[in-house]
Amino acid sequence: MIQDVLKQLGIEATNKGTSTGSDWFGSGAEISSSSPVDAKHIAKVATTTREDYDKVVETAQKAFKDWRLVPAPQRGEIVRQFGNKLRELKEPLGKLVSYEMGKSLQEGYGEVQEMIDICDFAVGLSRQLYGSTIHSERPGHRMYDQYHPLGIVGIISAFNFPVAVWSWNTALAWVCGDVCIWKPSEKVPLTGVACQKIIADILKENDMPEGISCLINGDYKVGEFMTTDKRIPLISATGSTRMGKIVASTVAERLGKTLLELGGNNAIIVTPDADIKMTVIGAVFGAVGTAGQRCTSTRRLIIHESIYDKVKDAIVAAYGQLKIGNPLDENNHVGPLIDTDAVAMYQDALKRVVEEGGNIIVEGGVLEGEGYESGCYVKPAIAEAENHFDIVQHETFAPVLYLMKYSGDVENAIELQNGVAQGLSSAIMTNNLREAERFLSHAGSDCGIANVNIGTSGAEIGGAFGGEKETGGGRESGSDAWKIYMRRQTNTINYTTELPLAQGIKFDI
């Protein structure tokens, strides 16, 4: 099956994984792509050497000089064609995402749909890169601000969304006039090769210079090529908080810019006025979708004591209906974790929550036997815990859900929700208008995303995506997130024969 998918995407098993557009090359050691679905080897991809990398950057720099002069609506036309090609290839690319990463087939298709959606958004944006007109205090002067392309945007993406996050960055950066260099996770290199092949063909068909879209492959050392490189003014990095702190300090040392999308520790507050059925749907999908490997996955369920047992029983009953197995089988709800290291982390979390005084109410464990040969399939688990537990305070990238009680009014629940280092996504389930507005107020959720009567995951591209505190503070995708990919410039034009100074200063000669 997978060989047919690769063929549909125009990928041959001998392709090298480093590209500066239409050409493929790579002279570094090869990395192997294996599927967590069945542990089968898919292909090998060549990694990027320092010499390769410098060639990529030089090609990108050359391309930027031409690309920045292409009118923004024409740049949007290239992105439109990219989105249309993704529509044609949604099925094979979605299958590759599902098989290489391990998420359900529907989520694989959904991730490609996110790519299509952000292309549509970016096409419209290409005609709306607005600045502002500002009234000058000096007569006969016009003042305004405008936005210019930055140059090269370096993108470091994580394994859990192997294509969508890259597209959030590139689609906007391209219409802004930037060129991009992408280092995908070494755990999912083939999805990167597939995406690069698609856009490279489109650029070639439109006689656009290679280097507008570039791909490099390898581990964190290849990422360091970009983070330490003064030629790259912006680094957009998605991953763990630990990784983000390293990236932030490295780029800041050279006074570069960063866009960070880091860890989450997301909670749903369930008040006495919640719709229990909606709560169960939102909480279960949020906790087990992508096998708990989303930065927006639901980690904590904060339930009012008056309905705690009712909600707990409903959630436990729903977990009993989950089907775990091959994610390409649409009857299954939960696929595998990315690798056995992730499985070990999951097992350690369940051990630690018990050691800290928690109570496991839905047993976890690693699945064995036919269909589970990869050793990456685990049972989604639920534990009763306290918010202050050390293991609860840290993100576990696996399907582990912590249940906890709150008493009194919603302010107590909000305090618990905010009482972690991360600040990505949050939600409240309530039909009480006052509780909902309190949750969304200045004194409410401290997260970048705050939802009412939906779960913590499933963000739309129209809104800016990102979080606060140890989530990094970055914003991607919709709203005015495009501004991070540009430099702001203030312009003043004097159309008189006089030269008055600002603040009424006199300088006569």
Side-chain angles (χ1 to χ4, degrees), residues 12-243:
E12 299 294 335
T14 56
N15 272 354
K16 298 299 184 180
T18 306
S19 171
T20 57
S22 58
D23 297 326
W24 300 92
F25 74 91
S27 58
E30 292 182 326
I31 53 176
S32 177
S33 173
S34 299
S35 173
V37 174
D38 51 20
K40 290 183 179 179
H41 170 75
I42 307 174
K44 291 184 178 180
V45 176
T47 57
T48 304
T49 66
R50 182 72 211 198
E51 183 179 358
D52 295 336
Y53 172 78
D54 285 333
K55 181 179 178 180
V56 168
V57 175
E58 290 167 6
T59 306
Q61 286 179 311
K62 183 178 179 181
F64 173 63
K65 291 180 179 179
D66 294 329
W67 183 241
R68 64 184 175 180
L69 299 178
V70 175
Q74 292 183 27
R75 299 194 295 255
E77 168 59 19
I78 300 298
V79 174
R80 186 191 68 81
Q81 293 178 33
F82 180 52
N84 285 344
K85 182 59 69 172
L86 289 172
R87 287 178 169 88
E88 295 176 20
L89 297 174
K90 180 177 178 178
E91 182 176 351
L93 184 55
K95 285 181 178 178
L96 178 59
V97 169
S98 178
Y99 187 65
E100 189 176 33
M101 184 269 155
K103 63 175 57 179
S104 74
L105 184 58
Q106 287 303 313
E107 289 184 85
Y109 290 151
E111 188 166 343
V112 180
Q113 186 60 50
E114 281 193 54
M115 300 177 75
I116 294 167
D117 292 343
I118 197 63
C119 285
D120 289 349
F121 180 90
V123 172
L125 177 64
S126 69
R127 295 179 182 270
Q128 300 180 75
L129 300 174
Y130 300 139
S132 302
T133 299
I134 306 157
H135 289 278
S136 173
E137 66 183 52
R138 292 168 286 184
H141 286 59
R142 181 165 68 89
M143 185 163 55
Y144 63 96
D145 60 18
Q146 61 176 325
Y147 292 85
H148 297 295
L150 279 175
I152 301 174
V153 174
I155 302 165
I156 300 172
S157 62
F159 73 85
N160 59 329
F161 280 86
V163 296
V165 172
W166 167 73
S167 69
W168 289 358
N169 285 274
T170 51
L172 299 192
W174 287 334
V175 298
C176 288
D178 299 317
V179 299
C180 298
I181 300 175
W182 176 28
K183 194 204 88 64
S185 168
E186 63 271 26
K187 297 180 180 182
V188 284
L190 281 179
T191 50
V193 172
C195 291
Q196 178 63 21
K197 180 69 169 61
I198 295 168
I199 186 61
D201 288 347
I202 290 171
L203 294 173
K204 188 174 183 179
E205 290 168 4
N206 286 271
D207 295 320
M208 291 292 173
E210 63 175 0
I212 292 172
S213 179
C214 303
L215 181 73
I216 58 177
N217 270 307
D219 60 15
Y220 72 93
K221 295 179 183 178
V222 175
E224 287 177 350
F225 293 163
M226 290 197 295
T227 59
T228 57
D229 193 340
K230 292 182 178 180
R231 295 171 294 181
I232 302 181
L234 172 65
I235 297 292
S236 175
T238 303
S240 68
T241 296
R242 181 192 63 80
M243 179 274 283

